[in-house]
Amino acid sequence: MTQKTMGQLRDSMELLHDMPKLRKRLEKEGYLFFRGLLDAEELLRIREDMLSIADEYGFVDRNAPLRDGRYSGQPFPESRKFETSPLYRRILELPSFNAFGRNPVLTLLYTGLLDAELVEHRRRIGRITFPQSFLNTTPPHQDHFYIKGTPDTYTSWIAAGDCPEEMGGLAVMPESNHLGFLRHEPMSGTGGHGIPHEKCDELGLPWLTADFRVGDLLLFHGMTLHKALDNRTADRLRVSLEYRYQRRKDAIDPSSMEYHMKGSFEGEGA
Ligand SMILES: O=C(O)CCC(=O)C(=O)O
């Protein structure tokens, strides 16, 4: 397990009417957190759509309501990663999941924050994280490592359903956006790259998280260090969404305009 005591994310809801102050806080701290900003009903519909697909693949306990997202205990095939599974490929095609990236609240907020015409990346992510699967917990990283293009890309991380700390959630390191681009190393387990926890400790900055509730929005800059926390529950699936935005005039990597993991699914050419 990877987590120590965490600080709490600062809620910026009281600054929603004051764009210059919000921009200043984002530039200084590298993240903004808004408690209850987004449409909870719409997010719960996306959650149910995602869990219905997971249910078709046998991962949901049918003795509980679908919306509870209880894990059936069926192991995820060891040979397969969630991000290249047919289940994930199906989630990436869900109309409700894709449409949420263009909803008016996110669009208006980012247009104000970036003070420019926007591009919302097609590379959206709808993630289901299995309980107790700690080797798959997303390690600390800066999104710029994966997203490339302009570092001024912003990620929205959204829990689709309540996500108390023991279910995982996300933690950010405030002000790490001023540290420059850090060296990412291959990490065991996830198959991805990241920054080892000991190296993050040496940076001398805290980690902040929250007991996320459906409707909360956490957004952060492409250079802000962040990581997932372990899903320590016995049987709850963590369901989360990621949408990314940047200024239209800035550099963009072509992969941002394709669906995530394009070319990596069975039967797909690279
Ligand atoms: O939810 C996760 O496990 C990772 C999310 C993440 O790294 C991101 O939003 O960039």
Side-chain angles (χ1 to χ4, degrees):
M1 278 198 242
T2 51
Q3 50 248 56
K4 302 188 182 152
T5 311
M6 299 264 152
Q8 291 297 305
L9 293 166
R10 172 145 68 141
D11 186 357
S12 285
M13 277 303 268
E14 90 285 356
L15 292 187
L16 254 192
H17 64 286
D18 192 339
M19 208 36 90
K21 277 203 182 137
L22 270 184
R23 285 190 202 122
K24 228 165 134 184
R25 185 176 284 183
L26 176 56
E27 149 44 37
K28 179 171 182 295
E29 299 188 2
Y31 82 93
L32 292 173
F33 176 57
F34 298 97
R35 183 66 97 187
L37 178 66
L38 302 172
D39 184 337
E41 288 304 315
E42 205 171 335
L43 287 166
L44 289 173
R45 279 195 292 275
I46 300 172
R47 172 184 178 81
E48 293 216 8
D49 288 347
M50 290 171 67
L51 287 172
S52 296
I53 302 177
D55 177 55
E56 282 181 46
Y57 287 89
F59 294 118
V60 179
D61 177 358
R62 291 194 171 166
N63 296 313
L66 178 71
R67 64 177 171 277
D68 287 4
R70 292 215 179 261
Y71 179 41
S72 65
Q74 173 180 287
F76 203 77
E78 273 184 26
S79 57
R80 179 158 256 159
K81 292 187 64 59
F82 174 75
E83 289 189 349
T84 51
S85 66
L87 158 60
Y88 184 53
R89 184 75 185 83
R90 296 261 314 273
I91 288 172
L92 296 187
E93 292 304 324
L94 272 174
S96 56
F97 155 71
N98 282 298
F100 199 80
R102 297 183 301 274
N103 83 64
V105 175
L106 287 173
T107 305
L108 282 171
L109 177 63
Y110 277 105
T111 303
L113 287 172
L114 304 190
D115 197 16
E117 198 187 333
L118 292 185
V119 177
E120 191 244 327
H121 291 188
R122 172 65 182 87
R123 193 185 194 278
R124 307 175 186 114
I125 295 180
R127 210 183 280 273
I128 297 184
T129 310
F130 290 68
Q132 306 289 322
S133 62
F134 303 147
L135 278 176
N136 295 314
T137 302
T138 308
H141 65 281
Q142 293 164 306
D143 272 357
H144 186 55
F145 178 83
Y146 289 106
I147 307 296
K148 307 181 194 79
T150 174
D152 294 328
T153 297
Y154 295 82
T155 294
S156 288
W157 187 89
I158 300 165
D162 290 347
C163 183
E165 201 182 318
E166 61 160 357
M167 205 187 282
L170 206 79
V172 298
M173 189 179 269
E175 304 195 13
S176 55
N177 51 315
H178 303 294
L179 297 174
F181 188 46
L182 304 167
R183 205 175 99 78
H184 288 59
E185 303 174 17
M187 304 294 281
S188 60
T190 57
H193 284 66
I195 301 164
H197 293 277
E198 319 75 69
K199 296 233 164 104
C200 294
D201 291 346
E202 287 165 14
L203 297 171
L205 294 167
W207 286 110
L208 306 181
T209 191
D211 280 325
F212 291 93
R213 297 198 287 264
V214 63
D216 294 349
L217 168 66
L218 171 61
L219 68 87
F220 48 90
H221 185 258
M223 296 294 248
T224 303
L225 203 50
H226 61 284
K227 64 177 179 179
L229 305 180
D230 290 332
N231 180 351
R232 292 174 279 131
T233 62
D235 62 355
R236 300 295 299 277
L237 297 163
R238 166 191 184 264
V239 186
S240 61
L241 314 173
E242 294 158 45
Y243 301 98
R244 295 187 167 81
Y245 304 81
Q246 66 167 86
R247 294 181 183 87
R248 184 169 291 283
K249 66 179 175 52
D250 287 347
I252 184 162
D253 189 77
S255 65
S256 293
M257 296 319 284
E258 305 280 7
Y259 57 84
H260 188 218
M261 303 301 286
K262 183 167 189 222
S264 309
F265 296 96
E266 252 168 47
E268 275 189 340

